Amino acid sequence: MKFSSIEGHEKSIRTLQRAIANNALAHAYLFSGQAGIGKKKAAFALAAAVNCLNARPEGGCGECPSCRKVDTLGHPDVHVLVPDGDEIKIDQIRQVQADFALKPFEGAKKVLIVDNAESMNAAASNAFLKTLEEPPGDALIILITAMPQGLLPTIRSRCQEIMFHPLPRNTLARALVQRRGLSEEDAWFIAALAQGSMGRGLEMDIAAEKAAREEVAALWSGLAEMGPGEALALAETIAKDRERLERLIEIGVEELRDALVYRVTGEERLLVHAEAQQLSRQMAERYSLPRLLADMDLFMASRNLLDRRVSAQLVTENLLLKFGRG
Ligand SMILES: [Zn+2]
């Protein structure tokens, strides 16, 4: 992995490149930001950069034996720590400390990457703090977390924090066209759903996402024709499949958001999905703003009730009886 292969995050990467060029790297970094946006890639690129055989100020070459070993987890001086089960345990930290006491084996620096660093348990955190307080001279520590507030403040304060922000929708869409060979329209759709995460954008199943939205659209247009008896019968069926219900609510919120955006801005470009645009546009044209807002409240309230373990059937009945009838 080299810095130039990472999508977006220019500012964070420039900070690291400047530190490399000025020989001013911190002993410990904390890469924070939501899951799947490229923190781990940046950590591997940094680990490769400090050990690259053709090192340049802008980072590693990505091709020399050292860079290749970093990528395949085969570099003897680059260690990656991941939770053992749910936690990072003290034995794992002790092993690292023993290794840090040795000189680099073949690289210039020992590098430790700790993924999901917030999962260090109390004993591991306290042991790790010792390493941060007296970092070995030629070691580089990179903590990765989506929950920096889950780390001990004393650990956090001893690291230089580099924040990774969600990728803008157009950056993500462009990258998805290139990397997944998607059409512009599909890429734009997936980029909205992935919420700034390249990892999520690469994994998302387009057909399944579209099918789920079509199901919601069919349900909504059907509901308008239904009497309360039919709506209650339908609620009973839907409530039996919790996952489907949650998905339906999630998509409902998303569609209503689109309808509200369209209603207020009249801009199709801002909407999530071209096919759903039709639905959102119809809703925006047919319903008043207070009515759209009331429906949005209804969906948000349904989600909260489900989170608080209120009966799925009650929540669904309430939703189907009230939706679009406010
Ligand atoms: Zn290299």
Side-chain angles (χ1 to χ4, degrees):
M1 183 52 57
K2 48 185 179 173
F3 288 125
S4 56
S5 314
I6 297 173
E7 240 63 69
H9 305 304
E10 289 84 0
K11 193 162 159 252
S12 313
I13 288 171
R14 258 201 315 276
T15 304
L16 295 170
Q17 287 173 319
R18 245 194 329 265
I20 294 169
N22 298 333
N23 211 3
L25 279 172
H27 283 295
Y29 285 94
L30 173 61
F31 288 3
S32 64
Q34 72 178 46
I37 57 175
K39 302 184 297 299
K40 209 196 288 180
K41 283 204 177 110
F44 274 88
L46 181 55
V50 298
N51 284 313
C52 175
L53 303 177
N54 310 311
R56 294 157 301 179
E58 66 270 24
C61 68
E63 282 150 27
C64 71
S66 174
C67 282
R68 280 209 299 267
K69 281 187 203 166
V70 171
D71 279 348
T72 54
L73 299 178
H75 198 295
D77 295 313
V78 177
H79 298 284
V80 181
L81 210 57
V82 294
D84 171 11
D86 290 343
E87 291 181 328
I88 294 175
K89 302 190 174 113
I90 190 164
D91 290 348
Q92 296 176 274
I93 302 293
R94 292 223 172 98
Q95 230 163 33
V96 166
Q97 285 169 332
D99 181 70
F100 265 11
L102 307 172
K103 288 250 164 262
F105 194 69
E106 62 178 56
K109 262 184 197 290
K110 292 234 175 233
V111 182
L112 170 66
I113 298 172
V114 185
D115 200 7
N116 298 112
E118 77 287 349
S119 52
M120 275 188 269
N121 66 22
S125 293
N126 285 317
F128 189 68
L129 197 52
K130 297 264 184 332
T131 300
L132 281 177
E133 281 165 347
E134 295 160 28
D138 44 17
L140 171 65
I141 295 166
I142 309 167
L143 304 183
I144 302 176
T145 185
M147 286 186 281
Q149 67 283 6
L151 288 164
L152 282 186
T154 40
I155 287 186
R156 207 172 159 185
S157 68
R158 281 180 172 79
C159 299
Q160 185 179 330
E161 186 162 350
I162 307 268
M163 285 189 259
F164 288 75
H165 300 287
L167 295 174
R169 187 172 172 189
N170 57 355
T171 305
L172 197 48
R174 221 174 25 237
L176 290 172
V177 168
Q178 278 175 4
R179 301 201 20 203
R180 285 188 67 175
L182 300 182
S183 68
E184 288 276 335
E185 191 190 313
D186 283 351
W188 200 242
F189 168 51
I190 290 295
L193 299 183
Q195 294 176 355
S197 159
M198 176 66 73
R200 237 178 293 161
L202 288 173
E203 279 170 12
M204 266 183 172
D205 181 338
I206 301 179
E209 296 294 339
K210 284 187 174 170
R213 274 156 194 78
E214 272 151 29
E215 190 195 341
V216 173
L219 179 68
W220 283 10
S221 46
L223 261 185
E225 318 291 319
M226 267 178 219
E230 272 177 293
L232 287 175
L234 180 61
E236 197 180 340
T237 317
I238 293 176
K240 282 187 186 131
D241 184 346
R242 172 84 183 211
E243 209 172 301
R244 182 176 167 214
L245 173 61
E246 282 175 2
R247 194 98 188 83
L248 188 147
I249 292 176
E250 195 184 308
I251 294 171
V253 170
E254 190 188 285
E255 302 286 351
L256 280 162
R257 176 214 159 261
D258 267 5
L260 284 163
V261 168
Y262 186 72
R263 173 101 198 172
V264 174
T265 66
E267 287 230 42
E268 289 186 12
R269 202 172 47 82
L270 299 174
L271 307 185
V272 170
H273 182 19
E275 281 164 48
Q277 270 175 22
Q278 222 182 337
L279 177 69
S280 304
R281 212 168 29 221
Q282 278 170 10
M283 288 173 46
E285 282 158 4
R286 201 179 320 155
Y287 305 129
S288 69
L289 196 53
R291 168 65 191 284
L292 289 172
L293 288 168
D295 280 340
M296 182 65 117
D297 278 347
L298 176 64
F299 273 81
M300 304 287 261
S302 302
R303 189 157 66 181
N304 285 337
L305 290 170
L306 280 182
D307 286 347
R308 288 182 2 225
R309 312 228 157 262
V310 173
S311 136
Q313 176 143 357
L314 281 181
V315 173
T316 316
E317 284 175 0
N318 183 55
L319 181 68
L320 296 196
L321 288 175
K322 286 190 186 155
F323 175 63
R325 295 165 208 261

